[in-house]
Amino acid sequence: MDIKQLLKTSGFRFNKQFGQNFLTDETLLDDICLDAHVDGGTVLEIGAGAGTLTRALSRYADKVVAFEIDRNLEKILAVTLQDRPNVSVVIGDVMKYSMSQIERLCGSDYKVVANIPYYLTGPLIMRFAEESANASSLTLTVQKEVAERLAARPSTKDYGAITVALQAVADVTVVRSLPRELFYPVPNVDSAVVTANFRRDKFDLTSRELFRKTVRAAFSMRRKTLLNCIAAGFGFSKERAAAIIAECGFEPDCRGEQLSVEQFVILYKTIEGALSK
Ligand code: SAM
């Protein structure tokens, strides 16, 4: 099926606001399914576009649930997916669906595989990291710099709050580089495929809100010490913040970006203890 021709003849106009840069190379689409280890089961795709990745996924999965916000793609998807009975298309904004609505559609165990619109990257990843109970993995095509941030190691410029939030519940790897020329139309940035395999029991994060606040505070002022960031973020005196840093066993002048994910968990638990005193 010539997707580009179909889009042209149906008079489809790309909507930049929705991040519409489609993948059409069949081999690459198959490779993304393999990157995600799709082998039966259910896949959630966010942003079906013209249905190219959807078609590939439907060959490997038992069931594909695909969201697409743009009504103008509905009739194109009806053509490209006409011979795919295991695909359910939901026309709508995925962000307007609660996680429980999504998980009712996808069931108790599913993988997320998507070439996501760039404007949704942060919010979507945070939602699946923090709210999903049933997604076993994310395999996402994202802007190259974002992929590097998600998989970053401590003490690098890419390491930040989203890195820690995701790596606290998942093992994250950049698995493939995608030069911009592979997209139609060609965007201004290169991309990469990143996988996050969830291990939600990796750490005991009973108070997610406090963990989030700790991480946010630690990265709030990158040039300041962790001590100053924690004092400002929690309204602690310098002495109290220093006592917390010492109790964690960290250097007094360390910075948030130097802490490993494990050390962030130690910090959050210590703050939790301090707050309960
Ligand atoms: N999966 C297709 C592909 O790989 O060729 C399309 C990927 S394109 C980068 C992202 C798609 O997400 C677009 O079709 C866009 O209309 C859709 N989209 C954007 N925001 C959305 C949202 N909030 N909910 C559902 N779909 C969305």
Side-chain angles (χ1 to χ4, degrees):
M1 193 177 303
D2 188 338
I3 298 286
K4 291 181 187 171
Q5 193 55 39
L6 176 63
L7 288 166
K8 271 183 197 141
T9 53
S10 62
F12 177 73
R13 285 166 182 253
F14 286 90
N15 187 334
K16 266 202 169 167
Q17 200 194 327
F18 290 148
Q20 292 177 337
N21 301 95
F22 298 164
L23 288 171
T24 56
D25 184 288
E26 301 265 342
T27 310
L28 172 62
L29 293 162
D30 273 343
D31 285 343
I32 293 174
C33 296
L34 300 176
D35 291 339
H37 299 286
V38 179
D39 183 11
T42 300
V43 170
L44 167 64
E45 187 194 9
I46 294 159
T52 50
L53 179 58
T54 327
R55 278 181 71 80
L57 289 166
S58 73
R59 284 198 294 274
Y60 292 88
D62 292 332
K63 175 180 159 185
V64 180
V65 176
F67 279 81
E68 174 50 58
I69 198 170
D70 189 351
R71 291 217 154 269
N72 296 324
L73 285 164
E74 192 171 10
K75 58 180 190 304
I76 290 167
L77 287 167
V79 175
T80 55
L81 301 174
Q82 61 188 333
D83 56 346
R84 300 288 155 175
N86 61 341
V87 177
S88 313
V89 174
V90 182
I91 298 293
D93 179 350
V94 72
M95 299 309 271
K96 297 219 167 108
Y97 284 72
S98 67
M99 191 51 77
S100 56
Q101 285 174 313
I102 293 172
E103 303 215 317
R104 227 171 290 133
L105 290 170
C106 296
S108 60
D109 183 20
Y110 64 95
K111 294 176 196 288
V112 181
V113 185
N115 168 17
I116 51 175
Y118 295 138
Y119 80 98
L120 271 191
T121 313
L124 258 182
I125 289 173
M126 291 309 288
R127 269 191 93 186
F128 281 94
E130 297 192 339
E131 297 173 34
S132 165
N134 299 346
S136 60
S137 63
L138 307 175
T139 301
L140 303 176
T141 300
V142 296
Q143 202 173 319
K144 183 170 158 268
E145 290 73 16
V146 176
E148 284 162 2
R149 212 176 304 148
L150 296 173
R153 296 284 141 224
S155 299
T156 62
K157 72 171 183 4
D158 291 329
Y159 192 66
I162 195 168
T163 319
V164 177
L166 185 61
Q167 292 188 14
V169 290
D171 298 330
V172 183
T173 319
V174 179
V175 291
R176 183 180 298 282
S177 295
L178 300 184
R180 62 193 76 183
E181 293 74 27
L182 290 169
F183 294 82
Y184 174 72
V186 177
N188 295 328
V189 292
D190 294 318
S191 292
V193 177
V194 64
T195 59
N197 291 308
F198 284 113
R199 280 204 293 131
R200 292 192 177 79
D201 57 355
K202 213 168 161 181
F203 299 108
D204 174 15
L205 299 176
T206 323
S207 173
R208 288 213 140 268
E209 186 48 51
L210 184 63
F211 182 67
R212 197 182 309 136
K213 189 172 173 186
T214 306
V215 174
R216 222 186 293 133
F219 285 105
S220 59
M221 300 177 284
R222 283 189 90 111
R223 291 213 202 99
K224 303 252 171 162
T225 60
L226 180 64
L227 191 157
N228 280 319
C229 292
I230 293 301
F234 286 88
F236 294 154
S237 65
K238 294 268 170 74
E239 293 70 33
R240 197 169 180 208
I244 288 170
I245 306 282
E247 192 180 333
C248 292
F250 304 156
E251 293 297 324
D253 59 349
C254 70
R255 286 166 199 277
E257 70 208 49
Q258 294 173 313
L259 300 190
S260 66
V261 178
E262 288 78 358
Q263 287 174 318
F264 267 106
V265 177
I266 293 172
L267 177 62
Y268 134 80
K269 292 259 178 217
T270 310
I271 292 174
E272 189 176 43
L275 289 173
S276 69
K277 276 179 199 155

